[in-house]
Amino acid sequence: MSISVTHISKSYKKVKALQDISFEVKPGELFGLIGPDGAGKTTLFRILTTLLIANEGSATVAGFDVVADYKKIRSSVGYMPGKFSLYQDLTVEENLNFFATIFGTTIEENYDLIKDIFVQIEPFKNRRAGKLSGGMKQKLALCCALIHKPKVLFLDEPTTGVDPVSRKEFWDMLKRLQQKDITILVSTPYMDEAALCDRIALIQHGKILEIDTPQSIVKHYPKQIYNVRANNMYQLITSLNDYEHHHSVYPFGEYVHYTDNRTDFNPKDLIQYLESNNLSEVEIAKTVATIEDTFMELAK
Amino acid sequence: MKTILYIVQKEFKQIFRNKGMLPIIFVLPLLQLVILSNAATFEVKHIKFGYIDKDRTSTSRALVEKFNASTYFDVLTNFPSEALASSAMLKGEVDVVLEIPHYFERDLQKEKYNTLGVTINAIDGAAAGVENVYVTQIVQRFNQNLKVELLQVSDQQIQPITIETIPLFWYNETLNYKTFMVPGILVLLVTMITLFLSGMNIVREKEIGTLEQINVTPIKKSQFIIGKLFPFWVIGMGLLTVGLILAKLIFHVPMLGSLPLMYLYTSIYILVILGIGLFISNFTETQQQAMFIAWFFTVIFILMSGLFTPIESMPKWAQLFTEFNPIKYFVEVMRMVMLKGSGFMDILPQLLKTLTYAVIMNGLAVWRYRKTT
């Protein structure tokens, strides 16, 4: 196993950041930790990257124990913290050189690993890191985390605050890295990115809700979801919430995802009900569950 | 070794790219040296002097004339009464009031003895002390001249034996205050700059989050610390060099001792300061906190260093406390080597104490430094 976490718990004074977390990540896997802000994702990353010591439980990374063999872990993992943490007053090239040197390697030695990413920022290699755009900064940080050819890569919310195009590019890069035998543990608050992982763990309030492939997690969704639309979104949501048979009501883009708690649900009843509430242009259609629906259902 | 060199190189790059920091490191301290050395003097000039002459004789006028002739006193007014004199002092119009009693001349001739009243504004205690010395000196000199005039042939047998003291100020013959202030102020500058910079430096990496990234690398604690602190050691030595050149060129401070000895001591001394700086950055989370703690210690160290007030005049407990003050040793050594030409054996006690201090401070700081959070 590349990463193995068994019964890890961590609390800061009264706040329980992690409660009895266990999971395993296979070599070469792209594993996602999906959860809202404050779910405990960063704490878990800090434990696995040996920056923090857990109160209970044990964990291994690349076969090394996070407490006993922390030194070996530090030379075989790459870590990209959520907050941009390179030297803003050094240039792109200097940052890369700096990290290569402290890992006892050179840019040339592992150039093929970072080549795909580095060519995109190479035109700016003499620009100071602080002057780069958000997406460029992320690419540089990824290069720095990869420069020593790590076995395991930890990415803590790498795409937060990055534009959609750069996000897409970033995930394409991760997919390519995965083919070079690097195990990747990535955390994100974005549910749409979850579908790009091999397996995901849904995490909230320091507890893991479910671990599975994105496809199975969606399949486990117990109910039929309906897309509901009407002329007035706000009134639609309040009316649906007042409907006696409703199970869940979540706005989802231009639609509302609605589930009913009856087994013999007939959409016509609902249309009638909504029209009696002065809503017009009511549309109801079946749809498939997404990871977000699953998360909301589990987090209920 | 390569890693350390690279960190040192990176650190220098960052220092020289910080446009706001460069003048703070190099220009401000030297400005301070020039301004402070000219301003921080213990001489008191232009003392506002008033007198109440109740005698109005040639002797009393001659005494007042002595004060008038002195470059230290500006003779203001003859106050007709004590009440007017004290109200003038209350308003701050005079600093010193001399009261010459009735029958001053007559009593002097008859009884060979008299008393003068001197009132000194002691709001500034240090200045008052200096003024008192000046007044006493003038009155004494007047006394001696007077003796000759009053002496009559018949008095010869009973002339009292007087002992005169002629002071010689060794190592600073003219008591030029700049000669002893410049080495002291140079010490302050080297200390302040290296302490503040080293104290804030590692905290800065904490603040901007780069330390977290560094901590997940296989870099050794010692490599990182040496790499981070060495540039400030160099800056400290650089400051000393520029300061010594200014001292020689602008203030003509004598440099009797050996320069290598001064550099040897300073190189160890800066290690103490860097150790303290590192220690501070271990316990603080932001540059602001580090700044305040560093400032707190510098103020205590400076005021208790013997630079502005002599250590001999401090109470016993305070004197004991100054044993732990690195600035005290540095001031002592600088003055000894520069003004007295002391050699290696003379400053050995200070050197050993500083070395011990350096080992303890750095040991503590490195031991406290954690690569985890």
mmCIF file of all heavy atoms in Angstrom, chain B residues 4-42:
data_model
loop_
_atom_site.group_PDB
_atom_site.id
_atom_site.type_symbol
_atom_site.label_atom_id
_atom_site.label_comp_id
_atom_site.label_asym_id
_atom_site.label_seq_id
_atom_site.Cartn_x
_atom_site.Cartn_y
_atom_site.Cartn_z
ATOM 1 N N ILE B 4 23.839 24.294 2.258
ATOM 2 C CA ILE B 4 24.007 25.502 3.066
ATOM 3 C C ILE B 4 24.342 26.681 2.169
ATOM 4 O O ILE B 4 23.739 27.749 2.267
ATOM 5 C CB ILE B 4 25.117 25.301 4.123
ATOM 6 C CG1 ILE B 4 24.697 24.206 5.107
ATOM 7 C CG2 ILE B 4 25.396 26.598 4.860
ATOM 8 C CD1 ILE B 4 25.701 23.923 6.176
ATOM 9 N N LEU B 5 25.293 26.453 1.268
ATOM 10 C CA LEU B 5 25.699 27.517 0.356
ATOM 11 C C LEU B 5 24.507 28.034 -0.426
ATOM 12 O O LEU B 5 24.340 29.230 -0.623
ATOM 13 C CB LEU B 5 26.760 27.000 -0.610
ATOM 14 C CG LEU B 5 28.183 27.035 -0.076
ATOM 15 C CD1 LEU B 5 29.155 26.514 -1.119
ATOM 16 C CD2 LEU B 5 28.557 28.460 0.317
ATOM 17 N N TYR B 6 23.655 27.088 -0.864
ATOM 18 C CA TYR B 6 22.520 27.510 -1.665
ATOM 19 C C TYR B 6 21.542 28.336 -0.849
ATOM 20 O O TYR B 6 21.003 29.334 -1.330
ATOM 21 C CB TYR B 6 21.813 26.303 -2.297
ATOM 22 C CG TYR B 6 21.040 26.737 -3.496
ATOM 23 C CD1 TYR B 6 21.651 26.798 -4.744
ATOM 24 C CD2 TYR B 6 19.730 27.179 -3.385
ATOM 25 C CE1 TYR B 6 20.971 27.273 -5.842
ATOM 26 C CE2 TYR B 6 19.041 27.654 -4.481
ATOM 27 C CZ TYR B 6 19.660 27.693 -5.712
ATOM 28 O OH TYR B 6 19.003 28.174 -6.799
ATOM 29 N N ILE B 7 21.332 27.932 0.399
ATOM 30 C CA ILE B 7 20.415 28.703 1.242
ATOM 31 C C ILE B 7 20.977 30.093 1.504
ATOM 32 O O ILE B 7 20.262 31.096 1.440
ATOM 33 C CB ILE B 7 20.152 27.973 2.573
ATOM 34 C CG1 ILE B 7 19.468 26.638 2.296
ATOM 35 C CG2 ILE B 7 19.282 28.801 3.484
ATOM 36 C CD1 ILE B 7 19.228 25.820 3.514
ATOM 37 N N VAL B 8 22.300 30.153 1.760
ATOM 38 C CA VAL B 8 22.947 31.446 1.987
ATOM 39 C C VAL B 8 22.747 32.347 0.771
ATOM 40 O O VAL B 8 22.353 33.506 0.878
ATOM 41 C CB VAL B 8 24.451 31.248 2.269
ATOM 42 C CG1 VAL B 8 25.175 32.581 2.257
ATOM 43 C CG2 VAL B 8 24.648 30.556 3.609
ATOM 44 N N GLN B 9 22.974 31.757 -0.384
ATOM 45 C CA GLN B 9 22.833 32.502 -1.637
ATOM 46 C C GLN B 9 21.401 33.014 -1.797
ATOM 47 O O GLN B 9 21.164 34.172 -2.102
ATOM 48 C CB GLN B 9 23.194 31.549 -2.772
ATOM 49 C CG GLN B 9 23.369 32.200 -4.124
ATOM 50 C CD GLN B 9 23.450 31.130 -5.207
ATOM 51 O OE1 GLN B 9 23.792 29.973 -4.946
ATOM 52 N NE2 GLN B 9 23.101 31.503 -6.417
ATOM 53 N N LYS B 10 20.450 32.136 -1.519
ATOM 54 C CA LYS B 10 19.031 32.493 -1.630
ATOM 55 C C LYS B 10 18.695 33.622 -0.662
ATOM 56 O O LYS B 10 18.003 34.577 -1.002
ATOM 57 C CB LYS B 10 18.199 31.257 -1.309
ATOM 58 C CG LYS B 10 16.743 31.510 -1.180
ATOM 59 C CD LYS B 10 16.122 30.666 -0.089
ATOM 60 C CE LYS B 10 15.508 31.538 0.952
ATOM 61 N NZ LYS B 10 15.121 30.973 2.170
ATOM 62 N N GLU B 11 19.249 33.518 0.543
ATOM 63 C CA GLU B 11 18.953 34.505 1.579
ATOM 64 C C GLU B 11 19.473 35.890 1.166
ATOM 65 O O GLU B 11 18.792 36.891 1.310
ATOM 66 C CB GLU B 11 19.629 34.047 2.875
ATOM 67 C CG GLU B 11 18.897 34.406 4.121
ATOM 68 C CD GLU B 11 17.497 33.844 4.146
ATOM 69 O OE1 GLU B 11 17.276 32.667 3.763
ATOM 70 O OE2 GLU B 11 16.612 34.602 4.534
ATOM 71 N N PHE B 12 20.690 35.913 0.621
ATOM 72 C CA PHE B 12 21.264 37.180 0.174
ATOM 73 C C PHE B 12 20.430 37.783 -0.950
ATOM 74 O O PHE B 12 20.171 38.979 -0.969
ATOM 75 C CB PHE B 12 22.716 36.987 -0.282
ATOM 76 C CG PHE B 12 23.689 37.178 0.835
ATOM 77 C CD1 PHE B 12 24.551 36.172 1.217
ATOM 78 C CD2 PHE B 12 23.736 38.393 1.521
ATOM 79 C CE1 PHE B 12 25.441 36.354 2.260
ATOM 80 C CE2 PHE B 12 24.627 38.584 2.555
ATOM 81 C CZ PHE B 12 25.482 37.563 2.929
ATOM 82 N N LYS B 13 20.001 36.920 -1.882
ATOM 83 C CA LYS B 13 19.170 37.399 -2.978
ATOM 84 C C LYS B 13 17.929 38.078 -2.428
ATOM 85 O O LYS B 13 17.546 39.157 -2.851
ATOM 86 C CB LYS B 13 18.738 36.219 -3.855
ATOM 87 C CG LYS B 13 19.661 35.969 -5.022
ATOM 88 C CD LYS B 13 19.101 34.839 -5.874
ATOM 89 C CE LYS B 13 20.163 34.292 -6.793
ATOM 90 N NZ LYS B 13 19.899 32.908 -7.189
ATOM 91 N N GLN B 14 17.305 37.411 -1.438
ATOM 92 C CA GLN B 14 16.068 37.957 -0.887
ATOM 93 C C GLN B 14 16.312 39.274 -0.170
ATOM 94 O O GLN B 14 15.512 40.193 -0.262
ATOM 95 C CB GLN B 14 15.433 36.951 0.072
ATOM 96 C CG GLN B 14 14.793 35.799 -0.670
ATOM 97 C CD GLN B 14 14.071 34.868 0.269
ATOM 98 O OE1 GLN B 14 14.668 34.334 1.199
ATOM 99 N NE2 GLN B 14 12.798 34.664 0.058
ATOM 100 N N ILE B 15 17.457 39.354 0.545
ATOM 101 C CA ILE B 15 17.758 40.598 1.269
ATOM 102 C C ILE B 15 17.945 41.741 0.275
ATOM 103 O O ILE B 15 17.402 42.824 0.436
ATOM 104 C CB ILE B 15 19.023 40.430 2.135
ATOM 105 C CG1 ILE B 15 18.743 39.461 3.286
ATOM 106 C CG2 ILE B 15 19.473 41.778 2.700
ATOM 107 C CD1 ILE B 15 19.972 39.035 4.044
ATOM 108 N N PHE B 16 18.705 41.458 -0.803
ATOM 109 C CA PHE B 16 19.003 42.539 -1.731
ATOM 110 C C PHE B 16 17.828 42.873 -2.634
ATOM 111 O O PHE B 16 17.787 43.927 -3.240
ATOM 112 C CB PHE B 16 20.257 42.210 -2.549
ATOM 113 C CG PHE B 16 21.495 42.353 -1.720
ATOM 114 C CD1 PHE B 16 22.205 41.247 -1.290
ATOM 115 C CD2 PHE B 16 21.925 43.618 -1.331
ATOM 116 C CE1 PHE B 16 23.334 41.384 -0.496
ATOM 117 C CE2 PHE B 16 23.042 43.762 -0.541
ATOM 118 C CZ PHE B 16 23.749 42.651 -0.121
ATOM 119 N N ARG B 17 16.834 41.956 -2.707
ATOM 120 C CA ARG B 17 15.668 42.278 -3.525
ATOM 121 C C ARG B 17 14.636 43.055 -2.733
ATOM 122 O O ARG B 17 13.721 43.632 -3.286
ATOM 123 C CB ARG B 17 15.035 40.994 -4.048
ATOM 124 C CG ARG B 17 15.742 40.574 -5.282
ATOM 125 C CD ARG B 17 15.153 39.356 -5.887
ATOM 126 N NE ARG B 17 16.129 38.810 -6.797
ATOM 127 C CZ ARG B 17 16.016 37.632 -7.337
ATOM 128 N NH1 ARG B 17 14.984 36.882 -7.063
ATOM 129 N NH2 ARG B 17 16.940 37.202 -8.150
ATOM 130 N N ASN B 18 14.761 43.029 -1.421
ATOM 131 C CA ASN B 18 13.794 43.720 -0.584
ATOM 132 C C ASN B 18 14.173 45.195 -0.542
ATOM 133 O O ASN B 18 14.982 45.616 0.268
ATOM 134 C CB ASN B 18 13.820 43.103 0.812
ATOM 135 C CG ASN B 18 12.618 43.502 1.615
ATOM 136 O OD1 ASN B 18 11.996 44.524 1.338
ATOM 137 N ND2 ASN B 18 12.292 42.708 2.611
ATOM 138 N N LYS B 19 13.542 45.957 -1.410
ATOM 139 C CA LYS B 19 13.951 47.355 -1.572
ATOM 140 C C LYS B 19 13.740 48.171 -0.298
ATOM 141 O O LYS B 19 14.453 49.144 -0.051
ATOM 142 C CB LYS B 19 13.172 47.979 -2.732
ATOM 143 C CG LYS B 19 13.548 47.393 -4.078
ATOM 144 C CD LYS B 19 14.812 48.039 -4.646
ATOM 145 C CE LYS B 19 15.263 47.358 -5.919
ATOM 146 N NZ LYS B 19 15.975 46.094 -5.711
ATOM 147 N N GLY B 20 12.769 47.775 0.485
ATOM 148 C CA GLY B 20 12.518 48.529 1.714
ATOM 149 C C GLY B 20 13.547 48.232 2.785
ATOM 150 O O GLY B 20 13.827 49.049 3.658
ATOM 151 N N MET B 21 14.130 47.025 2.708
ATOM 152 C CA MET B 21 15.001 46.560 3.791
ATOM 153 C C MET B 21 16.424 47.089 3.649
ATOM 154 O O MET B 21 17.082 47.365 4.643
ATOM 155 C CB MET B 21 15.020 45.028 3.754
ATOM 156 C CG MET B 21 15.093 44.396 5.110
ATOM 157 S SD MET B 21 13.736 44.942 6.133
ATOM 158 C CE MET B 21 14.234 44.183 7.653
ATOM 159 N N LEU B 22 16.881 47.255 2.420
ATOM 160 C CA LEU B 22 18.282 47.640 2.210
ATOM 161 C C LEU B 22 18.678 48.921 2.936
ATOM 162 O O LEU B 22 19.653 48.922 3.684
ATOM 163 C CB LEU B 22 18.552 47.785 0.709
ATOM 164 C CG LEU B 22 19.052 46.520 0.022
ATOM 165 C CD1 LEU B 22 19.362 46.810 -1.423
ATOM 166 C CD2 LEU B 22 20.284 45.982 0.732
ATOM 167 N N PRO B 23 17.935 50.017 2.735
ATOM 168 C CA PRO B 23 18.326 51.232 3.463
ATOM 169 C C PRO B 23 18.231 51.041 4.969
ATOM 170 O O PRO B 23 19.026 51.621 5.714
ATOM 171 C CB PRO B 23 17.333 52.290 2.968
ATOM 172 C CG PRO B 23 16.285 51.577 2.238
ATOM 173 C CD PRO B 23 16.820 50.257 1.818
ATOM 174 N N ILE B 24 17.270 50.218 5.425
ATOM 175 C CA ILE B 24 17.134 50.005 6.866
ATOM 176 C C ILE B 24 18.393 49.336 7.395
ATOM 177 O O ILE B 24 18.889 49.640 8.474
ATOM 178 C CB ILE B 24 15.883 49.157 7.182
ATOM 179 C CG1 ILE B 24 14.648 49.945 6.780
ATOM 180 C CG2 ILE B 24 15.828 48.781 8.653
ATOM 181 C CD1 ILE B 24 13.350 49.238 6.992
ATOM 182 N N ILE B 25 18.942 48.409 6.600
ATOM 183 C CA ILE B 25 20.115 47.689 7.084
ATOM 184 C C ILE B 25 21.369 48.555 7.014
ATOM 185 O O ILE B 25 22.169 48.558 7.939
ATOM 186 C CB ILE B 25 20.328 46.405 6.259
ATOM 187 C CG1 ILE B 25 19.141 45.473 6.439
ATOM 188 C CG2 ILE B 25 21.607 45.703 6.678
ATOM 189 C CD1 ILE B 25 19.202 44.238 5.590
ATOM 190 N N PHE B 26 21.538 49.281 5.910
ATOM 191 C CA PHE B 26 22.843 49.920 5.721
ATOM 192 C C PHE B 26 22.856 51.433 5.934
ATOM 193 O O PHE B 26 23.820 51.963 6.457
ATOM 194 C CB PHE B 26 23.395 49.591 4.327
ATOM 195 C CG PHE B 26 23.797 48.152 4.226
ATOM 196 C CD1 PHE B 26 23.043 47.242 3.532
ATOM 197 C CD2 PHE B 26 24.931 47.709 4.893
ATOM 198 C CE1 PHE B 26 23.410 45.902 3.475
ATOM 199 C CE2 PHE B 26 25.305 46.386 4.831
ATOM 200 C CZ PHE B 26 24.544 45.484 4.123
ATOM 201 N N VAL B 27 21.800 52.122 5.516
ATOM 202 C CA VAL B 27 21.874 53.582 5.595
ATOM 203 C C VAL B 27 21.491 54.086 6.983
ATOM 204 O O VAL B 27 22.223 54.856 7.600
ATOM 205 C CB VAL B 27 20.977 54.220 4.508
ATOM 206 C CG1 VAL B 27 21.092 55.721 4.564
ATOM 207 C CG2 VAL B 27 21.395 53.702 3.141
ATOM 208 N N LEU B 28 20.352 53.607 7.490
ATOM 209 C CA LEU B 28 19.870 54.114 8.774
ATOM 210 C C LEU B 28 20.883 53.955 9.907
ATOM 211 O O LEU B 28 21.138 54.896 10.643
ATOM 212 C CB LEU B 28 18.541 53.453 9.134
ATOM 213 C CG LEU B 28 17.324 54.011 8.405
ATOM 214 C CD1 LEU B 28 16.049 53.384 8.933
ATOM 215 C CD2 LEU B 28 17.251 55.523 8.568
ATOM 216 N N PRO B 29 21.514 52.769 10.071
ATOM 217 C CA PRO B 29 22.458 52.632 11.184
ATOM 218 C C PRO B 29 23.604 53.629 11.106
ATOM 219 O O PRO B 29 24.018 54.176 12.133
ATOM 220 C CB PRO B 29 22.990 51.212 11.023
ATOM 221 C CG PRO B 29 22.016 50.520 10.187
ATOM 222 C CD PRO B 29 21.363 51.524 9.334
ATOM 223 N N LEU B 30 24.084 53.886 9.894
ATOM 224 C CA LEU B 30 25.231 54.779 9.779
ATOM 225 C C LEU B 30 24.813 56.228 10.022
ATOM 226 O O LEU B 30 25.539 56.989 10.651
ATOM 227 C CB LEU B 30 25.887 54.597 8.412
ATOM 228 C CG LEU B 30 26.332 53.131 8.240
ATOM 229 C CD1 LEU B 30 26.819 52.869 6.845
ATOM 230 C CD2 LEU B 30 27.399 52.770 9.264
ATOM 231 N N LEU B 31 23.586 56.558 9.572
ATOM 232 C CA LEU B 31 23.049 57.877 9.910
ATOM 233 C C LEU B 31 22.984 58.023 11.424
ATOM 234 O O LEU B 31 23.361 59.037 11.995
ATOM 235 C CB LEU B 31 21.640 58.025 9.331
ATOM 236 C CG LEU B 31 21.542 58.646 7.945
ATOM 237 C CD1 LEU B 31 20.093 58.744 7.519
ATOM 238 C CD2 LEU B 31 22.152 60.039 7.973
ATOM 239 N N GLN B 32 22.499 56.941 12.055
ATOM 240 C CA GLN B 32 22.385 56.943 13.508
ATOM 241 C C GLN B 32 23.735 57.172 14.159
ATOM 242 O O GLN B 32 23.864 57.941 15.102
ATOM 243 C CB GLN B 32 21.829 55.606 13.980
ATOM 244 C CG GLN B 32 20.350 55.622 14.202
ATOM 245 C CD GLN B 32 19.874 54.288 14.703
ATOM 246 O OE1 GLN B 32 20.326 53.240 14.245
ATOM 247 N NE2 GLN B 32 18.990 54.292 15.654
ATOM 248 N N LEU B 33 24.731 56.504 13.628
ATOM 249 C CA LEU B 33 26.072 56.620 14.199
ATOM 250 C C LEU B 33 26.541 58.071 14.132
ATOM 251 O O LEU B 33 27.045 58.631 15.105
ATOM 252 C CB LEU B 33 27.052 55.712 13.442
ATOM 253 C CG LEU B 33 28.496 55.745 13.930
ATOM 254 C CD1 LEU B 33 28.608 55.114 15.297
ATOM 255 C CD2 LEU B 33 29.422 55.035 12.960
ATOM 256 N N VAL B 34 26.322 58.685 12.974
ATOM 257 C CA VAL B 34 26.787 60.059 12.802
ATOM 258 C C VAL B 34 26.002 61.011 13.700
ATOM 259 O O VAL B 34 26.570 61.854 14.396
ATOM 260 C CB VAL B 34 26.665 60.471 11.315
ATOM 261 C CG1 VAL B 34 26.999 61.934 11.151
ATOM 262 C CG2 VAL B 34 27.588 59.617 10.462
ATOM 263 N N ILE B 35 24.670 60.829 13.716
ATOM 264 C CA ILE B 35 23.845 61.755 14.505
ATOM 265 C C ILE B 35 24.060 61.541 16.005
ATOM 266 O O ILE B 35 24.342 62.476 16.744
ATOM 267 C CB ILE B 35 22.360 61.581 14.148
ATOM 268 C CG1 ILE B 35 22.136 62.022 12.701
ATOM 269 C CG2 ILE B 35 21.476 62.401 15.078
ATOM 270 C CD1 ILE B 35 20.756 61.725 12.177
ATOM 271 N N LEU B 36 23.945 60.281 16.434
ATOM 272 C CA LEU B 36 24.027 60.003 17.872
ATOM 273 C C LEU B 36 25.387 60.375 18.440
ATOM 274 O O LEU B 36 25.480 60.922 19.534
ATOM 275 C CB LEU B 36 23.749 58.521 18.140
ATOM 276 C CG LEU B 36 22.279 58.126 18.202
ATOM 277 C CD1 LEU B 36 22.158 56.652 18.517
ATOM 278 C CD2 LEU B 36 21.573 58.932 19.273
ATOM 279 N N SER B 37 26.442 60.075 17.698
ATOM 280 C CA SER B 37 27.769 60.344 18.229
ATOM 281 C C SER B 37 27.982 61.830 18.434
ATOM 282 O O SER B 37 28.700 62.254 19.333
ATOM 283 C CB SER B 37 28.834 59.807 17.283
ATOM 284 O OG SER B 37 28.648 58.426 17.120
ATOM 285 N N ASN B 38 27.340 62.641 17.598
ATOM 286 C CA ASN B 38 27.470 64.077 17.771
ATOM 287 C C ASN B 38 26.526 64.611 18.822
ATOM 288 O O ASN B 38 26.773 65.652 19.418
ATOM 289 C CB ASN B 38 27.202 64.785 16.444
ATOM 290 C CG ASN B 38 28.439 64.821 15.593
ATOM 291 O OD1 ASN B 38 29.497 65.199 16.067
ATOM 292 N ND2 ASN B 38 28.320 64.388 14.354
ATOM 293 N N ALA B 39 25.406 63.880 19.019
ATOM 294 C CA ALA B 39 24.373 64.409 19.911
ATOM 295 C C ALA B 39 24.501 63.887 21.333
ATOM 296 O O ALA B 39 24.241 64.610 22.285
ATOM 297 C CB ALA B 39 23.000 64.073 19.345
ATOM 298 N N ALA B 40 24.902 62.622 21.476
ATOM 299 C CA ALA B 40 24.914 62.026 22.807
ATOM 300 C C ALA B 40 26.149 62.461 23.576
ATOM 301 O O ALA B 40 27.120 61.735 23.686
ATOM 302 C CB ALA B 40 24.870 60.508 22.692
ATOM 303 N N THR B 41 26.137 63.671 24.092
ATOM 304 C CA THR B 41 27.283 64.165 24.837
ATOM 305 C C THR B 41 26.889 64.392 26.291
ATOM 306 O O THR B 41 25.738 64.686 26.590
ATOM 307 C CB THR B 41 27.802 65.477 24.222
ATOM 308 O OG1 THR B 41 28.573 66.138 25.196
ATOM 309 C CG2 THR B 41 26.662 66.359 23.781
ATOM 310 N N PHE B 42 27.866 64.249 27.149
ATOM 311 C CA PHE B 42 27.598 64.498 28.563
ATOM 312 C C PHE B 42 27.974 65.928 28.938
ATOM 313 O O PHE B 42 27.784 66.353 30.053
ATOM 314 C CB PHE B 42 28.377 63.520 29.437
ATOM 315 C CG PHE B 42 27.917 62.115 29.254
ATOM 316 C CD1 PHE B 42 28.791 61.118 28.870
ATOM 317 C CD2 PHE B 42 26.590 61.781 29.457
ATOM 318 C CE1 PHE B 42 28.361 59.828 28.690
ATOM 319 C CE2 PHE B 42 26.152 60.485 29.285
ATOM 320 C CZ PHE B 42 27.045 59.507 28.901
#
